[in-house]
């Protein structure tokens, strides 16, 4: 009997509405190098992306099941819910670097699939009215050639994703080397809602999408801007979360 990936090739060749034929071709798992496998095999996902007890509003790991960590109870963040697919650690650090910094936007599909497998991710997306990526500045977008968060958002929810509703108004220095207080100061005035479309946010549920959450400064700043524009609920879905909110 022909393997499943080969059986599907004929039908895919003749259907203009389905994925390209190469979506059925076998590949090698980027982690274990197993072949033929998907780019991220189920065994590696099960091994390296185990669900953890996490705070529902900052996504940091908790030692026991609980809704919120002490910090979020004391100072509630502007996010109603924050969901992460995995911890920012090996092997995800390497794969995200390929995707983000080495001109490999094709990783958007496999990484978005990993995000969709996270508890509450699909329910959160289904309930949303808008799915918005954290925007890049024009300068950063020109350097990289694509917004990695937009590619993820488009994969996660193609009918609700929008890259023009939340805007980046100015370029800012890299956040990666700054402590949280400086990150927040760095982002003041960096995001804005498209003025002609602000009414589309009134009373709506929004999901923000980002690749890596470190201190949460970008997500929190964007969430506040959306709330000021009238959004009723703002959640976040991120690919990876640093363990203690430190530098990524």
């Amino acid at each position: 009997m022909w393997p499943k990936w080969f059986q599907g090739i004929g039908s895919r060749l003749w259907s203009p509405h389905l994925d390209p034929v190469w979506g059925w071709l076998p590949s090698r798992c980027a982690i274990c190098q197993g072949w033929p496998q998907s780019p991220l095999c189920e065994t590696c996902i099960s091994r390296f992306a185990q669900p953890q007890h996490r705070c529902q509003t900052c996504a940091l790991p908790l030692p026991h099941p609980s809704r919120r960590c002490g910090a979020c109870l004391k100072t509630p963040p502007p996010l109603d819910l924050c969901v992460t697919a995995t911890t920012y650690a090996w092997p995800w650090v390497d794969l995200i670097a390929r995707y983000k910094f080495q001109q490999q936007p094709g990783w958007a599909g496999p990484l978005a699939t990993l995000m969709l497998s996270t508890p509450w991710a699909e329910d959160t997306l289904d309930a949303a009215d808008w799915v918005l990526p954290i925007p890049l500045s024009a300068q950063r977008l020109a350097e990289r050639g694509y917004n990695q968060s937009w590619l993820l958002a488009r994969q996660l929810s193609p009918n609700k994703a929008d890259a023009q509703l939340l805007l980046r108004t100015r370029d800012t220095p890299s956040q990666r080397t700054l402590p949280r207080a400086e990150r927040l100061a760095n982002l003041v005035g960096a995001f804005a809602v498209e003025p002609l479309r602000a009414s589309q946010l009134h009373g709506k549920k929004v999901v923000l999408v980002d690749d890596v959450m470190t201190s949460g400064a970008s997500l929190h700043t964007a969430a506040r801007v959306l709330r000021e524009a009238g959004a009723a609920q703002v959640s976040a879905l991120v690919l990876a979360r640093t363990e203690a909110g430190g530098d990524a």
Side-chain angles (χ1 to χ4, degrees), residues 73-114:
L73 288 171
K74 183 178 179 180
T75 308
L79 293 171
D80 295 286
L81 178 69
C82 186
V83 177
T84 185
T86 188
T87 297
Y88 189 69
W90 190 89
W92 311 114
V93 171
D94 294 347
L95 291 180
I96 292 171
R98 291 190 203 179
Y99 171 50
K100 190 172 180 178
F101 301 119
Q102 298 178 18
Q103 296 294 308
Q104 296 185 23
W107 275 104
L111 294 175
T113 299
L114 175 64

Side-chain angles (χ1 to χ4, degrees), residues 54-71:
R54 292 180 180 272
C55 174
Q56 291 186 9
T57 48
C58 74
L60 284 176
L62 296 173
H64 51 76
S66 182
R67 288 179 58 85
R68 291 192 177 190
C69 67

Side-chain angles (χ1 to χ4, degrees), residues 100-143:
K100 190 172 180 178
F101 301 119
Q102 298 178 18
Q103 296 294 308
Q104 296 185 23
W107 275 104
L111 294 175
T113 299
L114 175 64
M115 296 170 76
L116 284 171
S117 69
T118 307
W120 302 314
E122 286 198 77
D123 290 343
T124 302
L125 291 167
D126 288 344
D129 297 296
W130 294 104
V131 177
L132 308 180
I134 293 294
L136 292 181
S137 68
Q139 178 180 332
R140 195 67 54 83
L141 185 60
E143 292 171 355

